[in-house]
């Protein structure tokens, strides 16, 4: 019952769609532009860097606050780490599939980063940050960095638990925890299906890289400007 409650709490928190709300305040439905995704990267590309930062913080903190709320309700519970995993799963589900947006949400990476921070293990948080930052700096692919981060998170939970580095996870809860962490990873891969195809074919956009359509439009506008100036 506690697990279900945490899942529901997480889903409710996850329904706070930062980019969608920010876009509506500026008379824009973020899902009608760019990649159509209601997340940080698309918000930054469509509405600018400020929108991207606000979106990331809003989506990450809603997951963190959900975890803090669960800690407050179930304070002292021996299964806290597992309950936080269920809460994070709920947040990601709420973010990715919000019922009031016809289940068209984001990809859940910012929410995942907040949820893993809510787990309260500094090793996991630090490694996730280093993985995401390192892969982004080296490859320039945010999608690849996101997938590496969630994959690393799953492996860290498994390895740290097996060697006894996760004191908040009881031995009898290990398999269940691995399954929930695996679901975090599977959802990230599922939402990045198109990105994965573009990565394979070498057509995925890198950080700071514009779409070919945008580049062509800029060239056209520049050419038109030069022609007009020549007249």
């Amino acid at each position: 019952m506690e697990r279900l409650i945490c899942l529901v709490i997480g889903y409710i928190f996850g329904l706070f769609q930062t980019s969608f709300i920010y876009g509506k305040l500026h008379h824009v439905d973020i899902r009608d532009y760019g990649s159509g995704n209601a997340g940080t990267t698309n918000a930054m590309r469509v509405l600018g860097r400020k929108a991207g930062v606000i979106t990331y913080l809003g989506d990450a903190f809603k997951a963190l606050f959900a975890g803090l709320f669960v800690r407050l309700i179930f304070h002292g519970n021996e299964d806290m780490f597992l309950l936080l995993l269920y809460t994070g799963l709920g947040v990601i589900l709420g973010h990715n599939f919000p019922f009031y947006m016809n289940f068209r949400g984001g990809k859940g990476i910012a929410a995942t980063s907040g949820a893993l921070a809510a787990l309260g293990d500094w090793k996991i948080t630090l490694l996730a940050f280093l993985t995401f930052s390192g892969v982004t700096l080296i490859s320039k692919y945010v999608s690849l960095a996101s997938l590496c981060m969630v994959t690393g998170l799953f492996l860290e939970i498994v390895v740290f638990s097996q060697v006894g580095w996760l004191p908040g996870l009881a031995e009898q809860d290990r398999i269940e925890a691995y399954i929930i962490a695996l679901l975090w990873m599977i959802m990230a891969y599922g939402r990045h299906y198109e990105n994965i195809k573009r990565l394979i074919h070498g057509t995925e956009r890198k950080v700071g890289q514009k779409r070919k359509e945008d580049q062509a439009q800029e060239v056209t506008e520049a050419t038109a400007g030069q022609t007009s100036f020549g007249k």
Side-chain angles (χ1 to χ4, degrees):
M1 189 63 178
E2 292 174 343
R3 293 160 172 74
L4 179 60
I5 291 174
C6 290
L7 193 65
V8 172
I9 289 174
Y11 186 83
I12 293 172
F13 273 85
L15 293 175
F16 183 86
Q17 292 287 329
T18 313
S19 66
F20 180 76
I21 295 171
Y22 186 93
K24 284 298 184 180
L25 292 175
H26 292 78
H27 312 291
V28 170
D29 187 335
I30 192 68
R31 299 170 300 168
D32 293 336
Y33 299 89
S35 65
N37 176 60
T40 301
T41 303
N42 197 41
M44 184 174 296
R45 287 171 177 163
V46 174
L47 298 171
R49 183 171 298 179
K50 178 182 177 182
V53 172
I54 291 174
T55 297
Y56 173 76
L57 293 176
D59 290 344
F61 273 102
K62 70 184 178 186
L64 183 59
F65 290 150
L68 293 175
F69 186 62
V70 165
R71 285 182 180 275
L72 181 64
I73 294 176
F74 297 106
H75 178 69
N77 193 300
E78 295 181 354
D79 298 326
M80 182 58 69
F81 191 90
L82 182 62
L83 295 181
L84 291 172
L85 282 175
Y86 273 98
T87 305
L89 178 63
V91 174
I92 298 167
L93 285 170
H95 177 80
N96 292 359
F97 309 106
F99 70 89
Y100 67 95
M101 292 169 59
N102 295 320
F103 303 99
R104 289 178 55 205
K107 295 182 179 178
I109 297 303
T112 299
S113 69
L116 67 87
L119 293 175
D121 189 283
W122 67 269
K123 300 183 296 300
I124 291 176
T125 303
L126 178 61
L127 285 173
F129 173 77
L130 292 176
T131 299
F132 183 86
S133 301
V135 175
T136 301
L137 287 172
I138 294 171
S139 70
K140 306 299 181 184
Y141 290 121
V142 173
S143 56
L144 180 61
S146 300
L147 295 174
C148 288
M149 182 186 75
V150 295
T151 303
L153 171 63
F154 169 69
L155 295 175
E156 288 152 21
I157 289 177
V158 173
V159 173
F160 291 170
S161 174
Q162 291 296 320
V163 299
W165 290 358
L166 286 180
L169 181 61
E171 185 174 353
Q172 65 270 19
D173 294 332
R174 285 180 180 177
I175 301 301
E176 189 175 356
Y178 300 163
I179 293 173
I180 301 304
L182 181 61
L183 288 176
W184 284 28
M185 187 180 79
I186 290 174
M187 284 199 295
Y189 273 80
R191 298 296 283 179
H192 283 79
Y193 176 71
E194 294 297 328
N195 301 86
I196 293 172
K197 288 199 300 184
R198 289 194 293 269
L199 284 168
I200 293 173
H201 291 97
T203 57
E204 178 75 337
R205 273 194 290 173
K206 295 184 177 181
V207 175
Q209 181 181 358
K210 297 181 179 180
R211 284 186 173 184
K212 292 182 180 180
E213 294 89 346
D214 297 335
Q215 294 172 337
Q217 183 178 356
E218 289 181 357
V219 171
T220 301
E221 291 175 351
T223 303
Q226 291 173 357
T227 303
S228 179
F229 178 77
K231 293 179 178 180

